[in-house]
Amino acid sequence: IIHLEKITKNYKVGTQVVRALRSVSLEIHKGEYVAIMGASGSGKSTLMNIIGCLDTPSGGTYVLNKRDVSRLSDNDLAEIRNTEIGFVFQVFNLLPRNTALENVMLPLVYAGIRKHDRKDRATGTLADVGLSDRMHHKPNELSGGQRQRVAIARALVNKPSILLADEPTGNLDSVISEDIMKLFADIHRSGNTLVMVTHEMDIARHAHRIIKLKDGEIESDTVNPEP
Amino acid sequence: IIHLEKITKNYKVGTQVVRALRSVSLEIHKGEYVAIMGASGSGKSTLMNIIGCLDTPSGGTYVLNKRDVSRLSDNDLAEIRNTEIGFVFQVFNLLPRNTALENVMLPLVYAGIRKHDRKDRATGTLADVGLSDRMHHKPNELSGGQRQRVAIARALVNKPSILLADEPTGNLDSVISEDIMKLFADIHRSGNTLVMVTHEMDIARHAHRIIKLKDGEIESDTVNPEP
Ligand SMILES: Nc1ncnc2c1ncn2[C@@H]1O[C@H](COP(=O)(O)OP(=O)(O)OP(=O)(O)O)[C@@H](O)[C@H]1O
Ligand SMILES: Nc1ncnc2c1ncn2[C@@H]1O[C@H](COP(=O)(O)OP(=O)(O)OP(=O)(O)O)[C@@H](O)[C@H]1O
Ligand SMILES: [Mg+2]
Ligand SMILES: [Mg+2]
């Protein structure tokens, strides 16, 4: 359902051109569980932003669910993001003036869920990530790992068919990381597609397939024999 | 040089009181290398902020370098921070409108270093963390791990006698993490004191002593036999 063909992404910094992605071609099928690894700066977040329709490529094509999304307008991309994709950002991106609960309820507004049910579902998902007693805290009243878990809950709450997670456990201890990995496994078992960036092999081991990026290109793409 | 006696820290959220630190007593001597571990929300960053003079305790005393800093004014705390302590924040805290180089030069302004030398030293420290080719990028033009490395460089550039690092490798792959650990080992070998929060045992193993926090209190404080 995710088909990238010769994707490139360039940034301009002053007079310099940074080639964040040099040529990435990749297919991910419905229900796959993929981990993306690679050195800092190798292009992982840039690739995730393109897959998640947060950014458009400089070159190449991206067909998502049989639809060419490579050059869509911001409004069309926003529609796809809100209905089909859940995204856990590497730098959380929570609304600073809203509580954890309000942040997690937000995706359900786009899904047209009524307020009472939004509150129930967001409360349930926050319980799943162990934050029942922090629901009414704003982001600056939460620890780093708690903010990360709010970002995870927000991505999961509308049960997206494609879950993209960029370093979801970077700020979490091993106990909570295991809980998060179980949640992801549940999502995967319900038939959804997961793409996860991580720098930790222990986390990548949960996936069926491991893609390694190097300098904006795919260096290797291997099946994980024992997920 | 760091002496905490029955330190408590409370936050008020609406009508609720959050006891982030319940009673922490702890001594760290000059030249020690200490790792602090514990579950998400256990109080590690709160403790680091008090040690680093970014926050004052609700109760208890803190004597730093023979001086009681428990109830100092913001100005006095700022003076201590800028001259004696280097701090790597869990959420980076870079100036968004300034380049990596400018962000790393900033602590040297407080140290009274002239501009030409500030530039040289900041350039050198950015090279130490592998960011020579990203010096003129602003934070939003950098990857997550690159921002983390700018935060590390900024903390190291004025060779502080006390280095405090809150999850310094949370966004870094194992290769770069090892480079950062070597840099920290150099700082330690020069006689400085290091306190590092981490959730990864592989990183904590570099320290001589491992303190575990649980629910705002010290659960264990053990010597690491093979750092
Ligand atoms: N400004 C604040 N207002 C209210 N509660 C706060 C505030 N800052 C922190 N807390 C609470 O205090 C507790 C300790 O927070 P702290 O940031 O020290 O945890 P931590 O051990 O660093 O966690 P992590 O590993 O997730 O970064 C958490 O439960 C958090 O919700
Ligand atoms: N807006 C931008 N402008 C200029 N360069 C950028 C921009 N965003 C990213 N880059 C550069 O593109 C490269 C890839 O960035 P990306 O964020 O994808 O890396 P990453 O693999 O996610 O790294 P990390 O593991 O550190 O998060 C980096 O070298 C970065 O400096
Ligand atoms: Mg990234
Ligand atoms: Mg913390």
Side-chain angles (χ1 to χ4, degrees):
Chain A
I1 46 169
I2 288 171
H3 185 113
L4 302 168
E5 192 69 43
K6 297 198 175 78
I7 291 289
T8 60
K9 181 69 185 181
N10 300 322
Y11 293 109
K12 238 175 160 299
V13 181
T15 55
Q16 201 196 354
V17 173
V18 174
R19 296 157 151 247
L21 293 177
R22 289 163 189 276
S23 180
V24 172
S25 300
L26 160 62
E27 266 190 38
I28 298 178
H29 301 108
K30 182 160 164 44
E32 278 199 83
Y33 190 164
V34 182
I36 297 180
M37 303 188 80
S40 172
S42 56
K44 306 179 296 295
S45 296
T46 304
L47 179 59
M48 290 289 270
N49 289 341
I50 288 173
I51 294 176
C53 293
L54 286 148
D55 201 1
T56 45
S58 307
T61 20
Y62 175 22
V63 178
L64 170 67
N65 280 327
K66 301 203 171 86
R67 190 177 162 192
D68 186 333
V69 298
S70 331
R71 306 289 180 310
L72 287 187
S73 70
D74 281 354
N75 280 340
D76 289 340
L77 288 179
E79 165 103 24
I80 293 173
R81 284 200 304 273
N82 291 324
T83 51
E84 306 181 30
I85 296 172
F87 205 117
V88 185
F89 294 89
Q90 185 171 12
V91 279
F92 318 155
N93 285 0
L94 302 176
L95 298 178
R97 298 200 210 117
N98 295 88
T99 64
L101 182 60
E102 290 162 350
N103 266 282
V104 177
M105 282 166 70
L106 194 56
L108 301 173
V109 174
Y110 294 118
I113 312 266
R114 333 163 312 152
K115 184 160 191 183
H116 176 79
D117 297 331
R118 293 204 297 268
K119 209 169 180 192
D120 282 355
R121 287 177 56 167
T123 302
T125 311
L126 281 162
D128 290 341
V129 297
L131 288 179
S132 299
D133 59 351
R134 291 286 182 270
M135 285 200 299
H136 303 297
H137 285 225
K138 299 200 184 70
N140 68 346
E141 295 169 331
L142 292 171
S143 76
Q146 289 166 347
R147 287 178 215 178
Q148 190 160 34
R149 285 184 274 158
V150 176
I152 291 170
R154 181 181 59 182
L156 298 182
V157 75
N158 60 354
K159 303 196 192 325
S161 55
I162 299 172
L163 175 66
L164 304 176
D166 195 346
E167 305 272 4
T169 61
N171 280 286
L172 301 176
D173 56 84
S174 44
V175 173
I176 295 192
S177 293
E178 275 311 303
D179 293 341
I180 299 300
M181 285 300 109
K182 289 204 191 84
L183 276 182
F184 283 12
D186 291 343
I187 303 230
H188 179 233
R189 251 194 306 274
S190 327
N192 298 305
T193 310
L194 258 84
V195 185
M196 179 173 67
V197 168
T198 179
H199 64 264
E200 294 184 55
M201 203 56 211
D202 288 347
I203 300 294
R205 268 195 242 286
H206 291 88
H208 294 157
R209 180 179 164 198
I210 297 180
I211 295 175
K212 285 206 177 111
L213 282 194
K214 184 176 169 153
D215 296 328
E217 291 183 290
I218 293 183
E219 180 185 40
S220 67
D221 187 342
T222 53
V223 169
N224 178 16
E226 14 91 30
Chain B
I1 47 167
I2 288 171
H3 186 114
L4 301 168
E5 193 70 40
K6 298 197 175 77
I7 291 289
T8 61
K9 181 69 186 182
N10 300 323
Y11 293 111
K12 240 178 160 297
V13 181
T15 55
Q16 200 195 355
V17 172
V18 174
R19 296 158 154 245
L21 293 177
R22 288 164 190 274
S23 180
V24 173
S25 300
L26 159 63
E27 264 190 39
I28 297 179
H29 300 108
K30 182 159 161 48
E32 279 200 84
Y33 191 164
V34 182
I36 298 180
M37 305 187 78
S40 171
S42 56
K44 307 180 294 295
S45 296
T46 304
L47 179 59
M48 291 291 269
N49 288 343
I50 287 173
I51 293 175
C53 294
L54 285 148
D55 203 1
T56 45
S58 307
T61 21
Y62 175 21
V63 178
L64 169 68
N65 279 329
K66 302 204 171 82
R67 190 178 162 191
D68 187 331
V69 298
S70 331
R71 306 287 179 313
L72 286 187
S73 70
D74 279 355
N75 281 340
D76 290 339
L77 288 178
E79 165 102 25
I80 292 172
R81 284 201 304 271
N82 291 323
T83 52
E84 307 181 29
I85 296 172
F87 205 117
V88 185
F89 293 89
Q90 185 172 9
V91 278
F92 317 155
N93 285 358
L94 302 176
L95 299 177
R97 295 198 213 119
N98 294 89
T99 64
L101 182 61
E102 289 161 350
N103 266 283
V104 177
M105 281 167 72
L106 194 56
L108 301 172
V109 174
Y110 295 117
I113 313 266
R114 333 167 309 155
K115 184 160 190 182
H116 176 78
D117 297 329
R118 293 204 297 268
K119 211 168 178 190
D120 281 353
R121 286 177 57 168
T123 301
T125 312
L126 280 162
D128 290 341
V129 298
L131 288 178
S132 300
D133 60 352
R134 290 285 181 269
M135 286 202 297
H136 303 297
H137 285 226
K138 298 200 184 69
N140 68 345
E141 295 168 331
L142 292 171
S143 76
Q146 290 167 346
R147 286 178 216 178
Q148 190 161 35
R149 284 184 276 160
V150 176
I152 291 169
R154 180 181 60 182
L156 299 182
V157 74
N158 60 355
K159 304 200 195 319
S161 56
I162 300 173
L163 175 66
L164 305 176
D166 195 346
E167 304 273 4
T169 61
N171 279 286
L172 301 177
D173 56 86
S174 45
V175 173
I176 295 191
S177 293
E178 274 311 303
D179 293 342
I180 299 300
M181 285 298 109
K182 290 205 190 83
L183 277 183
F184 283 12
D186 291 344
I187 303 231
H188 180 234
R189 252 194 304 275
S190 325
N192 298 305
T193 310
L194 259 83
V195 185
M196 179 174 67
V197 169
T198 180
H199 64 264
E200 294 183 57
M201 203 57 212
D202 287 347
I203 300 293
R205 269 193 242 286
H206 291 87
H208 294 158
R209 180 178 165 198
I210 298 182
I211 296 174
K212 287 207 178 108
L213 282 194
K214 184 174 166 156
D215 295 328
E217 292 183 291
I218 294 183
E219 180 184 41
S220 67
D221 187 344
T222 54
V223 168
N224 179 16
E226 15 92 32

